[in-house]
Amino acid sequence: MSRQQFGFLAGFLAVAVWALAGVGVAALAVLAGLLGWLVVRVLDGDLTVTGLGDRRADARRRR
């Protein structure tokens, strides 16, 4: 499955949940999906929690 197909499917499912269950449930579903994606990235080692803190501190220093 290409990224475009996956994006279409994710968008379609978000709108389908919105239409069937309402805006609040759709927003919670999207947030749950983002949280799941973040957890998987951390577990796979693609993203480190300390790396996020370092980026934030660097951004503050640049200002």
Side-chain angles (χ1 to χ4, degrees):
M1 180 180 287
S2 71
R3 287 184 181 193
Q4 290 85 7
Q5 291 171 329
F6 182 77
F8 173 80
L9 181 61
F12 177 81
L13 291 176
V15 171
V17 169
W18 183 348
L20 294 174
V23 176
V25 175
L28 288 175
V30 169
L31 286 175
L34 290 172
L35 181 64
W37 173 81
L38 184 62
V39 168
V40 170
R41 294 285 307 248
V42 170
L43 292 176
D44 284 347
D46 294 336
L47 183 67
T48 60
V49 177
T50 56
L52 291 175
D54 292 343
R55 287 183 186 176
R56 186 172 177 178
D58 288 343
R60 286 185 187 165
R61 287 185 204 139
R62 288 185 210 151
R63 291 183 186 174

